[in-house]
Amino acid sequence: MSALDATGEELSVREALRTALREELAQDGDVFLMGQDEEDGGSFEVTAGLYEEFGRDRVRDTPISETAQVGSGVGAAATGLRPVVNVSYSDFIAICFEPLMNQAAKMQYMFAGATTMPLTVRAIEGAGFNAAAQHSGTVHTLVSHLPGLKAVAPATPRGSKGLMKACVRSDDPVVFFEHKNIYEQTGPVPEDEDFTIPIGEAAVLREGADVTVVATQQLVAEALSVAEERTDVDVEVIDPQSLSPLDTATIAESVEKTGRLIVADESPLSYGFHAEVVTRVVENEFYSLDVPVQRVGVPDTPVPFSPPLEDEILPTAEEIDLAVDRIV
């Protein structure tokens, strides 16, 4: 079924994630959750009620040590379990890079496939809560750069459920980036307990003929609002859903049709996701581009604590709209 034809029960992103985790816990006894305050639902109550339903063997608190959490997850995954580790604020994934980059990402390669690594790491990122620099960053580019790891960042309830179930069932390590500002967004979600979205599959959320906007996380809703309000330009909106692997074919096919590309992502503009998408389009569809591509993102700065300054740097629908003006 196409994302354009999505049907099912109306859930928020938070409820969709909780439903996916509940279904996977019920279906597979090797799945378990761990993280700070996980028995109480975690920092944003995504796992609320699961401890009461499944008990401490399946849902457990950990000490405040992201390195120990991910390291324990790597060990558990190597022995055949399917841990889902919540590191809460993604900024602190920086101190997990030894177990994440050197162990989880490389173990299957170094052991010639003798072991699998069915590890899912939940990392909550993004600004908009005035939570200061160490709790507001968008760091998915860092993880997407590491060979051996997969990275996903859904923008819709449907994508959140389908991708979470796919990650838990995957035999490869995946970092699941959740934007804290879209937990309350609602939408239709298939009720099928075996519904998954393949890792590496983008969703065309709105078809258009004039401009392609590749947007991530909360900027997907901003891009869709621009597309609905513009009557002079027909805007196509693509949610990549997976950052690594990236569905280059769907993006290239869209640019071949529209000839114009905007990439909107909340991470810093330099050396990141924007550059990767643009490079792949240039490699595959250079002669389809009618005008230079446009990027919408965060300036190369930590996220300010000051609410007015945070508002100043965050990308918005207005910036996407201005980018459309520049290329039509």
Side-chain angles (χ1 to χ4, degrees):
M1 181 178 64
S2 164
L4 292 170
D5 305 319
T7 58
E9 59 180 337
E10 195 79 2
L11 296 178
S12 67
V13 166
R14 178 185 287 109
E15 292 168 335
L17 291 169
R18 186 183 302 142
T19 299
L21 291 169
R22 176 184 290 113
E23 290 176 357
E24 293 309 297
L25 283 165
Q27 288 188 17
D28 188 341
D30 289 334
V31 176
F32 73 98
L33 316 182
M34 62 177 172
Q36 297 164 31
D37 301 320
E38 202 70 345
E39 294 175 15
D40 293 321
S43 302
F44 292 89
E45 300 184 341
V46 169
T47 56
L50 298 184
Y51 167 76
E52 289 78 7
E53 193 172 346
F54 293 96
R56 181 160 290 147
D57 286 345
R58 309 291 302 285
V59 181
R60 59 177 55 189
D61 286 346
T62 63
I64 304 176
S65 171
E66 287 81 0
T67 306
Q69 292 163 17
V70 174
S72 299
V74 171
T79 63
L81 297 175
R82 293 187 176 276
V84 180
V85 179
N86 178 12
V87 300
S88 296
Y89 293 94
S90 69
D91 306 73
F92 299 104
I93 208 168
I95 59 174
C96 307
F97 260 41
E98 163 52 29
L100 199 60
M101 183 177 79
N102 277 329
Q103 308 305 329
K106 298 175 180 175
M107 197 170 287
Q108 291 169 286
Y109 177 80
M110 294 175 66
F111 296 165
T115 185
T116 57
M117 186 51 59
L119 168 68
T120 301
V121 176
R122 294 179 50 221
I124 301 165
E125 65 177 0
F129 273 53
N130 310 132
Q134 292 178 329
H135 299 81
S136 303
T138 297
V139 301
H140 49 235
T141 289
L142 299 175
V143 171
S144 301
H145 182 69
L146 301 175
L149 287 178
K150 296 179 179 177
V152 303
T156 63
R158 180 179 185 273
S160 297
K161 179 182 178 182
L163 277 170
M164 178 57 79
K165 292 172 72 70
C167 291
V168 174
R169 296 182 185 190
S170 172
D171 285 338
D172 301 322
V174 188
V175 181
F176 194 103
F177 289 98
E178 303 167 20
H179 197 295
K180 62 175 75 71
N181 228 13
I182 65 171
Y183 278 136
E184 295 299 323
Q185 289 187 17
T186 60
V189 177
E191 297 178 54
D192 181 0
E193 294 189 359
D194 286 323
F195 162 70
T196 62
I197 293 176
I199 298 171
E201 180 179 284
V204 180
L205 297 182
R206 186 183 189 279
E207 294 184 348
D210 299 326
V211 176
T212 299
V213 179
V214 177
T216 62
Q217 298 176 311
Q218 67 173 341
L219 290 177
V220 168
E222 302 287 274
L224 288 170
S225 70
V226 171
E228 291 301 320
E229 291 177 6
R230 298 285 301 230
T231 57
D232 58 332
V233 182
D234 197 13
V235 178
E236 180 151 301
V237 179
I238 296 176
D239 172 11
Q241 302 188 116
S242 293
L243 309 178
S244 178
L246 180 67
D247 185 353
T248 307
T250 295
I251 298 171
E253 182 179 351
S254 177
V255 173
E256 183 180 14
K257 175 176 60 177
T258 65
R260 297 173 175 82
L261 172 66
I262 297 168
V263 183
D265 180 70
E266 198 178 295
S267 56
L269 284 166
S270 297
Y271 307 103
F273 177 74
H274 308 83
E276 185 61 33
V277 174
V278 170
T279 299
R280 294 191 187 204
V281 168
V282 168
E283 287 176 340
N284 289 275
E285 290 296 337
F286 177 75
Y287 293 104
S288 295
L289 289 169
D290 295 327
V291 293
V293 298
Q294 297 290 314
R295 295 181 296 170
V296 175
V298 172
D300 298 337
T301 174
V303 178
F305 181 40
S306 159
L309 291 179
E310 185 184 69
D311 291 343
E312 178 68 24
I313 69 158
L314 284 183
T316 62
E318 182 180 6
E319 291 187 39
I320 297 172
D321 196 42
L322 291 172
V324 173
D325 285 339
R326 289 194 294 270
I327 61 174
V328 295

